[in-house]
Amino acid sequence: MGYLPTITSLNPEGIYFVRERTSTSAAFILLKLTKWKYLILGRTWHISDEVGGGGQRQLLSFYELIKELRDKRKLYTKCWGLTLNKKDFSALLNGEVFPGSHLDVGFSEDSWWDDLTDINHGYPIAESYEQWYGKSFIKAQEIIKWKLAER
C-alpha cells in the first residue's frame, strides 16, 4: 500500500505487475512513465504460500493495493500483467534490460494480478487458476482470505 501515493502522483501511462514464473512467484511493479522512461518499484512480493508472517502481511498489502487501484478507475485501466521466466525477470528487476523490450514488441498481457484478487473464485475462469498459476497461487489467495478474516 505504501506505493499508492507514488503511483497516484506519477500518474503513469502503464502500471505493470511483473511476476516470475517459479514456485515462489516473486513479483514487482513497473511503471511506464513515457515511451522511453520507466520506473521499477524495488519491493518484491512472493505470490505463493512460501511466506512467513511478514510475507503474509505483504500479500495482503499487495492485494489491497490492487483493490485501491481498482477503485481509482483512471489508474486501474492502465494496469497490466506480465509473467517472465527467472532469467528475464531478474534482468528486468535489476535494470539489466530496457523494460520496453518486454512491453513494446509482442507484449502478451497476463491477468494474474487481477485473478489474485478473486479470492472467492467468482470469476468464470477461476477453475483454471491452478493450471495457469500453480497450487501455490491458490494457497496465496487462501492466505489473503485468511488475513482479511482476521480483521
Side-chain angles (χ1 to χ4, degrees):
M1 284 299 292
Y3 282 136
L4 186 61
T6 302
I7 294 170
T8 302
S9 69
L10 290 173
N11 192 24
E13 290 181 11
I15 303 164
Y16 296 89
F17 298 99
V18 184
R19 181 177 74 98
E20 180 183 48
R21 189 180 296 117
T22 61
S23 63
T24 57
S25 295
F28 68 91
I29 298 172
L30 170 69
L31 303 179
K32 180 178 182 179
L33 304 177
T34 67
K35 182 175 182 175
W36 299 106
K37 188 173 181 182
Y38 293 83
L39 176 64
I40 294 171
L41 302 179
R43 166 169 259 317
T44 57
W45 295 266
H46 289 275
I47 312 301
S48 75
D49 62 329
E50 296 182 34
V51 294
Q56 291 174 1
R57 288 188 301 278
Q58 292 169 5
L59 264 174
L60 178 61
S61 180
F62 186 75
Y63 166 87
E64 289 174 334
L65 173 63
I66 294 169
K67 298 288 267 182
E68 283 292 321
L69 290 171
R70 183 176 290 152
D71 291 344
K72 298 177 184 306
R73 288 270 223 208
K74 184 179 174 193
L75 288 174
Y76 189 69
T77 59
K78 299 177 181 185
C79 292
W80 305 93
L82 178 64
T83 300
L84 299 172
N85 64 43
K86 187 177 183 99
K87 179 182 172 199
D88 290 340
F89 177 90
S90 179
L92 182 57
L93 177 61
N94 294 314
E96 297 167 2
V97 295
F98 176 64
S101 65
H102 291 290
L103 305 175
D104 295 337
V105 180
F107 172 67
S108 177
E109 203 274 330
D110 178 354
S111 61
W112 73 266
W113 57 278
D114 188 53
D115 295 342
L116 180 69
T117 66
D118 183 25
I119 59 175
N120 294 312
H121 293 188
Y123 294 175
I125 59 169
E127 64 187 30
S128 299
Y129 292 162
E130 187 173 331
Q131 177 188 348
W132 294 342
Y133 312 122
K135 287 183 183 198
S136 201
F137 181 88
I138 303 299
K139 290 180 179 176
Q141 287 180 311
E142 290 171 7
I143 289 169
I144 293 166
K145 200 172 177 178
W146 173 66
K147 294 301 281 182
L148 285 169
E150 277 188 337
R151 292 183 169 173

